[in-house]
């Protein structure tokens, strides 16, 4: 069954004390609240993962890392591997974020390797796809996201997909205040779903959650989450304040 997920991508924000404060505030916001089956995830920076995971123990909020290296260990100065991230308390990893693709040159081929490394450790992968503005203007957005999914994920066996969540993030909507309309999100999500179904069949497709990301906030979350093929959100800016993040989660209120 597709799951409802709201994940906060803290990006390169928050010192250790600030991360702990945000985790504590989120804990307070969620205390005694019905989440209506929504899975909540936060992704702090690497150095704060352990402390945040400890602070959120018992709350049901899962902790993700924002990247991993494709190797398990070795002479890769400055990098963090899947086993290391897992040992710090992460159960998930965000891969293929457009900022990683854009600023760190991550390619589909590399992301395929990183996905394998994550799945080998039992980390769930939140895999990001999305077109840049020029691609949308040229009407290539369907094609672009389709290629990203195929190139990085279609080598996986069907059973691996139970640990894959997709996140459609149009790059022109990330951090810009400009959101895709619910209709734009829906049509791309439906397309991605059809692409996955064509390769793996309905059974796999019906298990895959597809999140929307890109200036999703307390004001627009409800309308976006209401679309039949939108299973939640990957939230940047609005995840940095506990009350805002909670309000986004409430976009799913039953
Ligand atoms: P934003 O970021 O919500 O600040 O646009 C989303 C993301 O990059 O995951």
């Amino acid at each position: 069954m597709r799951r409802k997920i709201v994940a906060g991508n803290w990006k390169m924000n928050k010192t250790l004390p600030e991360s702990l404060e945000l985790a504590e505030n989120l804990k307070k916001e969620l205390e005694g609240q019905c989440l209506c089956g929504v899975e909540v995830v936060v992704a702090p920076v690497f150095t704060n993962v352990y402390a945040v995971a400890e602070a959120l123990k018992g709350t049901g909020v899962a902790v993700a890392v924002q990247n991993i290296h494709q190797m398990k260990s070795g002479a890769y100065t400055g990098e963090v591997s899947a086993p290391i991230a897992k040992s710090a308390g992460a159960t998930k990893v965000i891969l293929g974020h457009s900022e990683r693709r854009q600023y760190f040159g991550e390619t589909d081929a590399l992301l395929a390797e990183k996905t394998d490394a994550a799945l080998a450790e039992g980390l769930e992968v939140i895999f990001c796809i999305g077109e840049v503005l020029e691609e949308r203007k040229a009407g290539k957005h369907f094609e672009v996201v389709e290629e990203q999914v195929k190139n990085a994920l279609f080598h996986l066996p069907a059973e691996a997909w139970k640990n894959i969540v997709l996140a459609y993030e149009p790059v022109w909507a990330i951090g810009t205040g400009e959101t895709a309309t619910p209709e734009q999100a829906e049509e791309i999500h439906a397309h991605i779903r059809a692409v996955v179904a064509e390769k793996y069949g309905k059974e796999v497709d019906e298990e895959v959650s597809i999140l929307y990301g890109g200036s999703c906030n307390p004001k627009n979350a409800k309308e976006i989450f209401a679309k039949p093929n939108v299973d939640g959100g990957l939230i940047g800016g609005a995840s940095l304040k506990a009350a805002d993040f909670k309000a986004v989660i409430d976009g799913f209120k039953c």
Side-chain angles (χ1 to χ4, degrees), residues 63-80:
V63 176
V65 286
Q66 301 170 17
N67 176 38
I68 50 160
H69 191 269
Q70 64 275 25
M71 303 302 283
K72 273 189 167 188
S73 63
Y76 301 99
T77 302
E79 293 293 318
V80 172

Side-chain angles (χ1 to χ4, degrees), residues 9 11 97 99 169 173-175 214-216 234-237:
N9 176 7
K11 306 193 179 183
H97 193 282
E99 288 149 17
E169 299 205 307
I174 296 176
S215 299
C216 189
L234 182 55
I235 318 299

Side-chain angles (χ1 to χ4, degrees), residues 34-64:
C34 167
L35 289 179
C36 309
V38 179
E39 291 177 33
V40 180
V41 182
V42 294
V45 300
F46 281 131
T47 53
N48 302 340
V49 162
Y50 180 73
V52 169
E54 286 294 306
L56 292 173
K57 248 188 194 150
T59 61
V61 178
V63 176

Side-chain angles (χ1 to χ4, degrees), residues 155-196:
H155 66 288
L156 296 173
E159 67 269 18
W161 278 79
K162 61 179 185 300
N163 282 318
I164 301 285
V165 170
L166 296 173
Y168 169 58
E169 299 205 307
V171 181
W172 47 271
I174 296 176
T176 57
E178 195 174 329
T179 324
T181 64
E183 291 70 31
Q184 284 172 325
E186 172 61 20
E187 64 176 3
I188 285 267
H189 285 217
H191 179 71
I192 298 163
R193 209 165 269 304
V195 168
V196 173

Side-chain angles (χ1 to χ4, degrees), residues 3-7 38-39 41 124 165 209 211 231-233 252:
R3 294 136 58 206
K4 296 186 218 167
I5 301 165
V6 178
V38 179
E39 291 177 33
V41 182
E124 182 173 77
V165 170
S209 300
L211 316 183
D231 302 305
F252 267 131

